[in-house]
Amino acid sequence: GESVGLHLPTLSVQEGDNSIINCAYSNSASDYFIWYKQESGKGPQFIIDIRSNMDKRQGQRVTVLLNKTVKHLSLQIAATQPGDSAVYFCAEIGGYQKVTFGTGTKLQVIP
Amino acid sequence: NAGVTQTPKFQVLKTGQSMTLQCAQDMNHNSMYWYRQDPGMGLRLIYYSASEGTTDKGEVPNGYNVSRLNKREFSLRLESAAPSQTSVYFCAGDRGVGYTFGSGTRLTVV
């Protein structure tokens, strides 16, 4: 999961395996969530989003799951590739379009 | 189509110096944002602009000013840089489904 500490939590995954990255959000009134990918030296890049009236959404090789009961969001990456190595963080959007970003999880793909 | 372009990519300032970070977008975004990213913390909003000619403070506005002269450009100014402003700065435009971010400006204040 994400951390407020100085060091990002790191998930190491073998190439070809599935990755699951978790995010705990804080505001039960948030109604829209986004996962971003940030490669080293680059800006965050939109991956996938989900609205609070859904519990699952699939994209190409990625799936986002939303559990509103425990305020938990996860990003699943199928058949992880070296190009997936990056920091992943979630964003929650609540009232007045207030956006809160998580601190991120570093995904390392082992060739 | 470059999306959101930030300049410069790197900058070193001495304490007390001033500088302007430039941001331009070619995606016709109405809303634009300036964030800073520090180790162990999520992106924090400095200022935003909901439309041309309007600006509002975000979570951490102290020590910064912004200018939205036209729809394309949204600049961030540090009038008197402090070491606490050492950070990576990102400009973003609201694409309606999340943000489009620039590639960032890494600023070091010594």
Side-chain angles (χ1 to χ4, degrees), chain A residues 19-65:
Chain A
S19 303
I20 300 176
I21 300 169
N22 298 304
C23 173
Y25 64 93
S26 57
N27 186 356
S28 57
S30 292
D31 58 6
Y32 182 52
F33 305 87
I34 300 172
W35 278 101
Y36 286 93
K37 172 186 181 182
Q38 187 175 17
E39 296 176 272
S40 181
K42 296 185 179 180
Q45 179 184 9
F46 173 95
I47 303 173
I48 192 168
D49 61 347
I50 189 167
R51 297 207 173 270
S52 60
N53 60 352
M54 303 172 70
D55 53 19
K56 180 179 180 179
R57 188 157 190 231
Q58 288 184 289
Q60 186 176 12
R61 277 202 311 119
V62 294
T63 300
V64 56
L65 298 178

Coordinates of all heavy atoms in Angstrom, one line a residue, chain A residues 19-65:
Chain A
S19 N 0.8 -8.1 -11.3 CA 1.1 -7.2 -10.2 C -0.2 -6.6 -9.6 O -1.2 -6.4 -10.4 CB 1.9 -6.0 -10.7 OG 3.1 -6.4 -11.4
I20 N -0.2 -6.4 -8.3 CA -1.3 -5.8 -7.6 C -0.8 -4.7 -6.8 O 0.0 -4.9 -5.9 CB -2.1 -6.8 -6.8 CG1 -2.7 -7.9 -7.7 CG2 -3.3 -6.1 -6.1 CD1 -3.4 -9.0 -6.9
I21 N -1.2 -3.5 -7.1 CA -0.8 -2.3 -6.3 C -2.0 -1.8 -5.6 O -3.1 -1.6 -6.2 CB -0.2 -1.2 -7.2 CG1 1.0 -1.8 -8.0 CG2 0.2 0.0 -6.5 CD1 1.5 -1.0 -9.1
N22 N -1.8 -1.5 -4.3 CA -3.0 -1.1 -3.5 C -2.9 0.4 -3.1 O -1.9 1.0 -3.0 CB -3.0 -1.9 -2.2 CG -3.2 -3.4 -2.5 OD1 -4.2 -3.8 -3.2 ND2 -2.2 -4.2 -2.1
C23 N -4.1 0.9 -2.8 CA -4.2 2.3 -2.3 C -5.4 2.4 -1.4 O -6.5 1.9 -1.7 CB -4.4 3.2 -3.5 SG -4.8 4.9 -3.2
A24 N -5.1 3.0 -0.2 CA -6.2 3.3 0.8 C -6.5 4.8 0.7 O -5.6 5.6 0.8 CB -5.7 2.9 2.2
Y25 N -7.8 5.1 0.4 CA -8.1 6.5 0.3 C -8.9 6.9 1.6 O -9.3 6.1 2.4 CB -9.0 6.8 -1.0 CG -10.3 6.1 -1.0 CD1 -11.5 6.7 -0.6 CD2 -10.4 4.8 -1.6 CE1 -12.7 6.1 -0.7 CE2 -11.7 4.2 -1.7 CZ -12.8 4.8 -1.3 OH -14.0 4.2 -1.4
S26 N -9.0 8.2 1.7 CA -9.4 8.8 3.0 C -10.8 9.3 3.1 O -11.4 9.2 4.1 CB -8.4 9.9 3.4 OG -8.4 10.9 2.4
N27 N -11.3 9.7 2.0 CA -12.6 10.4 2.0 C -13.7 9.5 1.5 O -13.8 9.2 0.3 CB -12.5 11.7 1.2 CG -13.8 12.5 1.3 OD1 -14.8 12.1 1.9 ND2 -13.8 13.7 0.6
S28 N -14.6 9.1 2.3 CA -15.7 8.2 1.9 C -16.7 8.9 0.9 O -17.4 8.2 0.2 CB -16.5 7.7 3.1 OG -17.0 8.8 3.8
A29 N -16.6 10.2 0.8 CA -17.4 10.9 -0.1 C -16.8 11.1 -1.5 O -17.5 11.6 -2.4 CB -17.8 12.3 0.4
S30 N -15.6 10.6 -1.7 CA -14.9 10.7 -3.0 C -15.7 9.9 -4.0 O -16.1 8.7 -3.7 CB -13.5 10.2 -2.9 OG -12.7 11.1 -2.1
D31 N -15.9 10.4 -5.2 CA -16.8 9.7 -6.1 C -16.1 9.4 -7.4 O -16.7 8.8 -8.3 CB -18.0 10.5 -6.4 CG -17.7 11.9 -6.9 OD1 -16.6 12.2 -7.2 OD2 -18.7 12.7 -7.1
Y32 N -14.8 9.6 -7.5 CA -14.0 9.4 -8.7 C -12.6 9.1 -8.4 O -12.0 9.8 -7.5 CB -14.2 10.6 -9.6 CG -13.5 10.5 -11.0 CD1 -13.8 9.4 -11.8 CD2 -12.7 11.5 -11.5 CE1 -13.2 9.3 -13.1 CE2 -12.1 11.4 -12.7 CZ -12.4 10.3 -13.5 OH -11.8 10.3 -14.8
F33 N -12.0 8.1 -9.0 CA -10.7 7.7 -8.7 C -9.9 7.4 -9.9 O -10.4 7.0 -10.9 CB -10.7 6.4 -7.8 CG -11.5 6.5 -6.6 CD1 -12.9 6.2 -6.6 CD2 -11.0 6.9 -5.4 CE1 -13.7 6.4 -5.5 CE2 -11.7 7.0 -4.2 CZ -13.1 6.8 -4.3
I34 N -8.6 7.8 -9.9 CA -7.7 7.6 -11.0 C -6.4 7.0 -10.6 O -5.9 7.3 -9.5 CB -7.4 9.0 -11.7 CG1 -8.7 9.7 -12.1 CG2 -6.4 8.9 -12.8 CD1 -8.5 11.1 -12.6
W35 N -5.9 6.1 -11.4 CA -4.5 5.6 -11.2 C -3.6 6.3 -12.3 O -3.9 6.4 -13.4 CB -4.4 4.1 -11.5 CG -4.9 3.3 -10.3 CD1 -6.0 2.7 -10.0 CD2 -4.0 3.0 -9.1 NE1 -6.0 2.1 -8.8 CE2 -4.8 2.3 -8.2 CE3 -2.7 3.4 -8.7 CZ2 -4.3 1.8 -7.0 CZ3 -2.3 2.9 -7.5 CH2 -3.0 2.1 -6.7
Y36 N -2.4 6.7 -11.7 CA -1.4 7.3 -12.6 C -0.1 6.5 -12.5 O 0.2 5.9 -11.5 CB -1.1 8.8 -12.1 CG -2.1 9.8 -12.4 CD1 -3.1 10.1 -11.5 CD2 -2.1 10.5 -13.6 CE1 -4.1 11.1 -11.8 CE2 -3.1 11.5 -13.9 CZ -4.0 11.7 -13.0 OH -5.0 12.7 -13.2
K37 N 0.6 6.6 -13.6 CA 1.9 5.9 -13.7 C 3.0 7.0 -13.9 O 2.8 7.9 -14.7 CB 2.0 5.0 -14.9 CG 3.3 4.4 -15.2 CD 3.3 3.6 -16.5 CE 4.6 3.0 -16.9 NZ 4.5 2.2 -18.2
Q38 N 4.0 7.0 -13.1 CA 5.1 8.0 -13.3 C 6.4 7.3 -13.5 O 7.0 6.7 -12.5 CB 5.1 8.9 -12.1 CG 6.1 10.1 -12.3 CD 6.1 11.1 -11.1 OE1 5.6 10.8 -10.1 NE2 6.6 12.3 -11.4
E39 N 7.0 7.4 -14.7 CA 8.3 6.9 -14.9 C 9.3 7.9 -14.5 O 9.1 9.1 -14.4 CB 8.4 6.6 -16.4 CG 7.5 5.5 -16.9 CD 7.5 5.2 -18.4 OE1 6.8 5.9 -19.1 OE2 8.3 4.4 -18.8
S40 N 10.5 7.4 -14.2 CA 11.6 8.2 -13.7 C 11.9 9.4 -14.6 O 12.1 9.2 -15.8 CB 12.9 7.3 -13.6 OG 13.9 8.1 -13.1
G41 N 11.9 10.6 -14.0 CA 12.2 11.8 -14.8 C 11.0 12.3 -15.6 O 11.2 13.2 -16.4
K42 N 9.8 11.7 -15.5 CA 8.7 12.1 -16.3 C 7.5 12.6 -15.4 O 7.5 12.3 -14.2 CB 8.3 11.0 -17.2 CG 9.3 10.6 -18.3 CD 8.8 9.6 -19.2 CE 9.8 9.2 -20.3 NZ 9.3 8.1 -21.2
G43 N 6.5 13.2 -16.1 CA 5.3 13.5 -15.3 C 4.4 12.3 -15.2 O 4.5 11.4 -16.0
P44 N 3.5 12.4 -14.3 CA 2.5 11.3 -14.1 C 1.6 11.2 -15.4 O 1.3 12.2 -16.1 CB 1.6 11.8 -13.0 CG 2.5 12.8 -12.2 CD 3.3 13.5 -13.3
Q45 N 1.3 10.0 -15.7 CA 0.5 9.7 -16.9 C -0.8 8.9 -16.5 O -0.7 7.9 -15.7 CB 1.3 8.8 -17.8 CG 0.7 8.4 -19.1 CD 1.6 7.5 -19.9 OE1 2.6 7.0 -19.5 NE2 1.2 7.2 -21.1
F46 N -1.9 9.3 -17.0 CA -3.2 8.7 -16.7 C -3.2 7.2 -17.2 O -2.7 7.0 -18.3 CB -4.3 9.5 -17.4 CG -5.7 8.8 -17.4 CD1 -6.6 9.2 -16.4 CD2 -6.0 7.9 -18.3 CE1 -7.8 8.6 -16.3 CE2 -7.3 7.3 -18.3 CZ -8.2 7.7 -17.3
I47 N -3.6 6.3 -16.3 CA -3.7 4.9 -16.7 C -5.2 4.5 -16.9 O -5.6 4.1 -17.9 CB -3.1 4.0 -15.7 CG1 -1.7 4.3 -15.4 CG2 -3.2 2.5 -16.2 CD1 -1.1 3.5 -14.3
I48 N -6.0 4.6 -15.8 CA -7.3 4.2 -15.8 C -8.1 4.9 -14.7 O -7.5 5.3 -13.7 CB -7.4 2.6 -15.6 CG1 -8.8 2.1 -15.9 CG2 -6.9 2.2 -14.2 CD1 -8.9 0.6 -16.0
D49 N -9.4 5.0 -14.8 CA -10.2 5.7 -13.8 C -11.4 4.8 -13.5 O -11.7 3.8 -14.2 CB -10.7 7.0 -14.3 CG -11.5 7.0 -15.5 OD1 -11.6 5.9 -16.2 OD2 -12.1 8.0 -15.9
I50 N -12.1 5.1 -12.4 CA -13.3 4.4 -12.0 C -14.1 5.4 -11.2 O -13.6 6.2 -10.4 CB -12.9 3.1 -11.2 CG1 -14.2 2.3 -11.0 CG2 -12.2 3.5 -9.9 CD1 -13.9 0.9 -10.5
R51 N -15.4 5.3 -11.4 CA -16.4 6.1 -10.6 C -16.9 5.2 -9.4 O -16.9 4.0 -9.5 CB -17.5 6.6 -11.5 CG -17.0 7.5 -12.6 CD -18.1 8.5 -13.1 NE -17.5 9.4 -14.0 CZ -16.9 10.6 -13.6 NH1 -16.9 10.9 -12.4 NH2 -16.4 11.4 -14.5
S52 N -17.4 5.9 -8.4 CA -17.8 5.3 -7.2 C -19.0 4.3 -7.4 O -19.3 3.5 -6.5 CB -18.1 6.3 -6.1 OG -19.1 7.1 -6.5
N53 N -19.7 4.5 -8.5 CA -20.9 3.6 -8.7 C -20.5 2.3 -9.4 O -21.3 1.5 -9.7 CB -21.9 4.3 -9.5 CG -21.4 4.7 -10.9 OD1 -20.3 4.6 -11.2 ND2 -22.4 5.1 -11.7
M54 N -19.2 2.1 -9.5 CA -18.6 0.8 -10.1 C -17.7 0.2 -9.1 O -17.1 0.9 -8.2 CB -17.9 1.1 -11.4 CG -18.7 1.9 -12.4 SD -17.6 2.4 -13.8 CE -17.2 0.8 -14.6
D55 N -17.5 -1.1 -9.2 CA -16.5 -1.8 -8.3 C -15.4 -2.4 -9.1 O -14.4 -2.8 -8.6 CB -17.2 -2.8 -7.4 CG -18.0 -3.8 -8.2 OD1 -17.8 -4.0 -9.5 OD2 -18.8 -4.5 -7.6
K56 N -15.5 -2.3 -10.5 CA -14.4 -2.9 -11.3 C -14.4 -2.2 -12.7 O -15.5 -1.9 -13.2 CB -14.6 -4.4 -11.4 CG -13.6 -5.1 -12.3 CD -13.9 -6.6 -12.3 CE -12.9 -7.4 -13.2 NZ -13.2 -8.8 -13.2
R57 N -13.2 -2.0 -13.2 CA -13.2 -1.5 -14.5 C -11.9 -2.0 -15.2 O -10.8 -2.0 -14.5 CB -13.1 0.1 -14.5 CG -13.2 0.6 -15.9 CD -13.7 2.1 -15.9 NE -14.0 2.5 -17.3 CZ -13.6 3.6 -17.8 NH1 -12.8 4.4 -17.1 NH2 -13.9 3.9 -19.1
Q58 N -12.0 -2.4 -16.4 CA -10.9 -3.1 -17.1 C -10.4 -2.2 -18.2 O -11.2 -1.6 -19.0 CB -11.2 -4.5 -17.6 CG -11.4 -5.5 -16.5 CD -11.7 -6.9 -17.0 OE1 -12.8 -7.1 -17.5 NE2 -10.7 -7.7 -16.8
G59 N -9.1 -2.2 -18.4 CA -8.5 -1.6 -19.6 C -7.6 -2.6 -20.2 O -7.8 -3.8 -20.1
Q60 N -6.7 -2.1 -21.0 CA -5.8 -3.0 -21.7 C -4.7 -3.5 -20.7 O -3.9 -2.7 -20.2 CB -5.1 -2.3 -22.9 CG -4.2 -3.2 -23.7 CD -3.7 -2.5 -24.9 OE1 -3.8 -1.3 -25.0 NE2 -3.1 -3.3 -25.9
R61 N -4.7 -4.7 -20.3 CA -3.8 -5.3 -19.3 C -3.9 -4.7 -17.9 O -3.2 -5.1 -17.0 CB -2.3 -5.1 -19.7 CG -1.8 -6.2 -20.7 CD -0.3 -6.3 -20.7 NE 0.4 -5.1 -20.8 CZ 1.3 -4.7 -19.8 NH1 1.4 -5.4 -18.7 NH2 1.9 -3.5 -20.0
V62 N -4.8 -3.8 -17.7 CA -5.0 -3.2 -16.3 C -6.4 -3.3 -15.9 O -7.3 -3.3 -16.7 CB -4.5 -1.8 -16.2 CG1 -3.0 -1.6 -16.4 CG2 -5.3 -0.9 -17.2
T63 N -6.6 -3.6 -14.6 CA -7.9 -3.6 -14.0 C -7.9 -2.8 -12.7 O -6.9 -3.0 -11.9 CB -8.3 -5.1 -13.7 OG1 -8.3 -5.8 -14.9 CG2 -9.7 -5.1 -13.0
V64 N -8.9 -2.0 -12.5 CA -9.0 -1.3 -11.2 C -10.2 -1.9 -10.4 O -11.2 -2.1 -11.0 CB -9.1 0.2 -11.4 CG1 -10.2 0.6 -12.3 CG2 -9.2 0.9 -10.1
L65 N -9.9 -2.1 -9.2 CA -11.0 -2.6 -8.3 C -11.2 -1.6 -7.2 O -10.3 -1.0 -6.6 CB -10.6 -3.9 -7.7 CG -10.4 -5.1 -8.6 CD1 -9.9 -6.3 -7.8 CD2 -11.6 -5.4 -9.4

